Structures are given as C-alpha cells and as structure tokens.
Amino acid sequence: MAVVEKNGIKMIYIAGQVGVDNQKNLVGNGKLRDQVEQTFRNLQTALESVEATIADIIKMNIYVVNYQPEDAEIIGEVLQQYFSMGQLPAMSLIGVQALAEEKFLVEVDAEAVVNGDG
C-alpha cells in the first residue's frame, strides 16, 4: 500500500489483496466466493488502517483466474455487501490465467481518495 498526501487530499493505492486470513492462510479451499469475501475484508482492513473506508474507493481492478461469466454474479453479490449499487467505483473485471500463487482465485487492486478537510 502507498499513501500520498498533498493539499489536504490523501491518495491511497492498494495492490495485491487476496483471500488470505491474518495468519496468511488461504481461505475458501478452492471456492471463489469465500476468497472474494476474504479479499474484500482485507481491503476494508487496509483502508481502515489509513483512516479510509470502502466508500472512498474511486477505481478498482478485480482479477479472476480462469474467469467464467457466472463468476461475475458471485463477485457482484459480494460487492453489494460493501457498496450501495449506485455508488460503485470505476471497475474492471479481468480474467487471468494465473496469479502469484497457484491457489489464489482472485486479487483486487484499488485506489481511494480521502479529502482531509471532509
């Protein structure tokens, strides 16, 4: 994660969020939904560590291994837990062949902006 502050604006760049727990154990045992849910919990925790929230995200990339159209429904259901449907950030859903570790099924990168005056 990188945080850049200038003129009262905080830009937050978060990369490489995956479905691992606090002890770095992969969750989900091959289940996309479980990994997506853990990934978004991790993203929320990372943002909270710099006094930001999921609502501050302006851009997000979601990478899915061996993407199938039904994966979008699973991801959409998890997104609804974190975002109001009219409040989704700009987003790309990208199918990939593999991620950094063989058992990772999803990875999220996000950019958030926080106005220090607000």
Side-chain angles (χ1 to χ4, degrees):
M1 177 168 44
V3 178
V4 178
E5 293 187 58
K6 186 171 183 176
N7 299 326
I9 304 292
K10 186 183 328 184
M11 299 285 300
I12 305 157
Y13 302 91
I14 300 173
Q17 296 300 298
V18 294
V20 296
D21 63 18
N22 291 341
Q23 289 75 43
K24 305 291 183 206
N25 297 311
L26 185 66
V27 302
N29 196 24
K31 293 184 174 98
L32 179 63
R33 179 180 303 277
D34 292 346
Q35 286 195 26
V36 172
E37 289 172 348
Q38 183 65 48
T39 298
F40 276 88
R41 282 192 294 270
N42 294 344
L43 180 60
Q44 185 173 32
T45 298
L47 287 162
E48 289 171 353
S49 76
V50 292
E51 299 177 356
T53 69
I54 291 278
D56 296 318
I57 295 174
I58 59 167
K59 171 74 171 96
M60 186 166 48
N61 295 320
I62 303 173
Y63 305 93
V64 181
V65 174
N66 298 322
Y67 175 80
Q68 300 297 311
E70 57 269 18
D71 296 341
E73 184 175 334
I74 292 168
I75 293 165
E77 289 170 2
V78 175
L79 287 173
Q80 288 178 28
Q81 297 172 30
Y82 290 92
F83 297 96
S84 301
M85 287 319 282
Q87 303 296 318
L88 289 170
M91 187 174 2
S92 296
L93 180 57
I94 305 160
V96 296
Q97 183 177 3
L99 293 168
E101 297 215 7
E102 181 181 352
K103 294 186 179 184
F104 291 166
L105 301 177
V106 64
E107 182 174 327
V108 174
D109 295 341
E111 298 175 24
V113 176
V114 177
N115 182 342
D117 299 331

